[in-house]
Amino acid sequence: MLQMRPSCECCDKDLPPDTTAARICTFECTFCSTCAGGPLGGICPNCGGELLQRPRRPAPKLAKFPASTERVHKPQGCGPVLA
């Protein structure tokens, strides 16, 4: 089950579970659409994987299986992709 992290790793923008602006890689690194489409060019800077829109969990399932509250933020921001 996806963790559905609550924020962008680059800019720390809030990404609630129902947003369409969250992008993730296969390792669940999480970024906002602005960072993913801008400086990252759709590529995860951590693993070099493709960043795609994070699926949204239906409300009844979200109540039973809540999103993560663990924020991952890299103060250095969106650096170069380390593919």
Side-chain angles (χ1 to χ4, degrees):
M1 173 173 18
L2 290 175
Q3 288 183 339
M4 300 184 76
R5 295 177 186 160
S7 60
C8 176
E9 289 187 23
C10 288
C11 69
D12 205 33
K13 177 182 178 179
D14 289 338
L15 295 170
D18 62 346
T19 187
T20 59
R23 303 292 182 265
I24 61 172
C25 70
T26 60
F27 290 97
E28 295 188 59
C29 301
T30 304
F31 303 94
C32 69
S33 58
T34 302
C35 290
L40 300 179
I43 303 296
C44 178
N46 303 319
C47 70
E50 183 179 21
L51 293 171
L52 300 173
Q53 184 174 342
R54 178 180 72 190
R56 290 171 285 156
R57 190 169 294 155
K61 297 294 183 188
L62 188 58
K64 187 173 181 179
F65 303 103
S68 174
T69 57
E70 178 187 353
R71 294 180 85 87
V72 176
H73 179 238
K74 299 187 175 160
Q76 70 274 19
C78 295
V81 174
L82 303 174

